[in-house]
Every structure is written in structure tokens, then in C-alpha cells.
């Protein structure tokens, strides 16, 4: 009974932490999609002045731990630029930039998996490059990207736990604060783990349904 009471008392705070985790995940995914789309077309450009910066961005992000990126943006960047960033803003920027680099490669891989003949067919019908990409290439590519998109979304949800190092009250941070006060780490961490599992498993189920709906034969 004591265990149930401990969980019951902690539940409102843990739900607030879960809400913050989901908010950061959703917002950062949306921002990273924009970053990924821009960086993807830069990487595919025939102009080196566009291609190289995008490649440097992707390689730096993929080659450094996300924890370092979070600390760099929260502590490092403000000292150089003489600006002030809230923990939420810094965390959102760090997560978005990190996911954006992986989105860049997911988008590039999806677009390049579509045969060149599709582009040639679109252009021969009188479509511009942008129209061919929007109406013919991207709809097909997005279907092939769904598993990778969802995989990245699950990583984003788990990566938000790193934001506890800069004091953002997401799920992990809230859990740590609670068991630091009541010393009931087993119960609290069990609930935190269950919340992460339910959230990520729900995303996986949605992915499976989307793959079946948009499967390409």
C-alpha cells in the first residue's frame, strides 16, 4: 500500500514531466524537418558553396555526443555571442539541430532511392524541377522514409532525457527530483520507464499502421 501511495503522490508531477517531454519532442521534430529539408537540398546541390556547409553540419552533429551539443549551446554559445538563452530554448535548439542532421540523411536517402527516370518523366511532361520534386518524387520518397522517420522520432523522445543536465523539467528530471526527496527510486524510476515505454510503443504502433497503409509494392 505504501508503494501505491508513493506512486499516487508522484503521478501529477510525473505527468507534467511527460507533457514537457512530448512537447519538446513534437516541436523539435517539426523544426528538424525544416532543417533537414533545407540541408538535404543543399547536400544534393551541384554548387559546392551549398553542398559543403551542409555536409560539415551533418558530419559535426553525427560525430559528437548530443550531451556535448546541449552543453555547448547552453553554456558555450551565449558566452561567445553575448546572448542569453533559457534552458528550454537551448534544449530545443540542441535537440532540433541533432535530429535535423539525421533527417537530412533520411530525406536524402529517400529522394535518391527514387529512380532518375521519374525526374526525367516529370520534366518531359513540362513540370519544373520543383513541381516534379513536389508532385512526383517526394510523395514516393516519403513512403519509403516512414520507418526511418519513426525510428528518429523514438530517438528524439529518449534524447530529451539528456536535457535534465541543464535543468529542464522533463520526465527524467522530474523523476530524479522526486526520488531525491522521498528516496523511493525503484518506484519512481519504474513509473518513468513505463511512461517512456508507453509513449515510444505508441509511436511504433502508429508507424506500423502507416507502413501498411502506404506500403509500396
Amino acid at each position: 500500500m505504501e508503494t501505491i501511495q508513493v506512486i499516487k503522490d508522484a503521478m501529477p508531477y510525473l505527468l507534467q514531466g511527460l507533457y514537457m517531454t512530448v512537447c519538446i519532442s513534437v516541436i523539435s521534430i517539426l523544426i528538424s524537418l525544416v532543417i533537414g529539408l533545407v540541408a538535404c537540398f543543399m547536400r544534393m546541390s551541384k554548387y559546392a558553396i551549398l553542398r559543403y556547409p551542409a555536409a560539415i553540419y551533418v558530419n559535426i552533429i553525427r560525430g559528437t555526443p548530443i550531451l556535448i551539443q546541449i552543453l555547448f549551446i547552453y553554456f558555450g554559445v551565449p558566452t561567445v555571442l553575448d546572448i542569453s538563452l533559457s534552458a528550454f530554448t537551448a534544449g530545443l535548439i540542441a535537440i532540433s539541430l541533432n535530429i535535423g542532421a539525421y533527417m537530412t540523411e533520411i530525406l536524402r536517402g529517400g529522394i535518391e532511392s527514387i529512380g532518375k527516370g521519374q525526374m526525367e518523366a516529370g520534366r518531359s511532361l513540362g513540370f519544373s524541377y520543383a513541381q516534379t520534386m513536389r508532385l512526383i518524387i517526394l510523395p514516393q520518397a516519403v513512403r519509403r522514409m516512414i520507418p526511418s522517420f519513426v525510428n528518429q522520432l523514438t530517438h528524439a523522445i529518449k534524447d530529451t532525457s539528456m536535457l535534465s543536465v541543464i535543468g529542464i523539467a522533463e520526465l527524467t528530471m522530474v523523476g530524479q527530483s522526486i526520488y531525491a526527496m522521498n528516496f523511493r527510486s525503484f518506484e519512481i524510476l519504474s513509473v518513468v520507464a513505463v511512461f517512456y515505454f508507453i509513449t515510444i510503443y505508441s509511436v511504433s504502433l502508429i508507424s506500423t499502421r502507416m507502413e501498411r497503409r502506404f506500403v509500396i509494392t
Side-chain angles (χ1 to χ4, degrees):
M1 292 299 292
E2 187 181 355
T3 297
I4 294 175
Q5 189 59 46
V6 168
I7 294 174
K8 188 177 177 182
D9 292 341
M11 193 58 73
Y13 305 103
L14 292 174
L15 287 173
Q16 288 179 13
L18 177 63
Y19 175 75
M20 178 62 78
T21 292
V22 172
C23 281
I24 293 174
S25 300
V26 171
I27 295 172
S28 58
I29 281 284
L30 294 175
I31 296 173
S32 68
L33 275 173
V34 177
I35 295 172
L37 199 58
V38 172
C40 167
F41 284 108
M42 287 175 68
R43 286 213 70 180
M44 294 172 60
S45 171
K46 61 182 179 182
Y47 302 108
I49 194 171
L50 295 176
R51 197 168 59 247
Y52 287 147
I56 290 170
Y57 156 64
V58 170
N59 288 323
I60 287 177
I61 294 294
R62 295 203 305 178
T64 54
I66 188 170
L67 180 58
I68 297 299
Q69 295 162 19
I70 293 169
L71 294 174
F72 181 78
I73 290 174
Y74 186 54
F75 294 111
V77 171
T79 60
V80 174
L81 300 181
D82 194 23
I83 59 174
S84 177
L85 287 177
S86 68
F88 182 84
T89 302
L92 201 59
I93 292 172
I95 295 287
S96 300
L97 286 175
N98 182 274
I99 303 172
Y102 291 94
M103 285 293 185
T104 300
E105 293 305 277
I106 291 171
L107 288 163
R108 188 167 69 92
I111 291 172
E112 290 183 347
S113 72
I114 305 300
K116 292 182 179 177
Q118 299 282 318
M119 175 60 77
E120 294 169 357
R123 299 304 298 271
S124 67
L125 290 172
F127 292 143
S128 66
Y129 176 85
Q131 287 174 322
T132 305
M133 188 62 71
R134 180 168 57 87
L135 299 173
I136 298 176
I137 304 295
L138 283 178
Q140 299 178 73
V142 166
R143 294 175 184 178
R144 297 182 178 182
M145 296 174 202
I146 289 175
S148 299
F149 273 137
V150 175
N151 186 48
Q152 198 54 50
L153 178 56
T154 60
H155 278 294
I157 294 170
K158 288 185 279 190
D159 286 345
T160 57
S161 65
M162 296 286 185
L163 298 178
S164 61
V165 298
I166 57 174
I168 294 180
E170 45 69 55
L171 184 55
T172 301
M173 177 72 178
V174 171
Q176 289 173 336
S177 301
I178 294 172
Y179 71 71
M181 291 186 290
N182 63 13
F183 304 105
R184 303 300 293 261
S185 57
F186 179 82
E187 291 89 340
I188 301 302
L189 288 176
S190 295
V191 176
V192 169
V194 168
F195 276 178
Y196 275 117
F197 174 77
I198 292 173
T199 305
I200 292 171
Y201 188 65
S202 300
V203 172
S204 300
L205 288 179
I206 295 171
S207 165
T208 302
R209 295 195 62 171
M210 289 178 69
E211 285 180 55
R212 288 176 182 166
R213 182 181 176 86
F214 297 109
V215 64
I216 292 178
T217 58

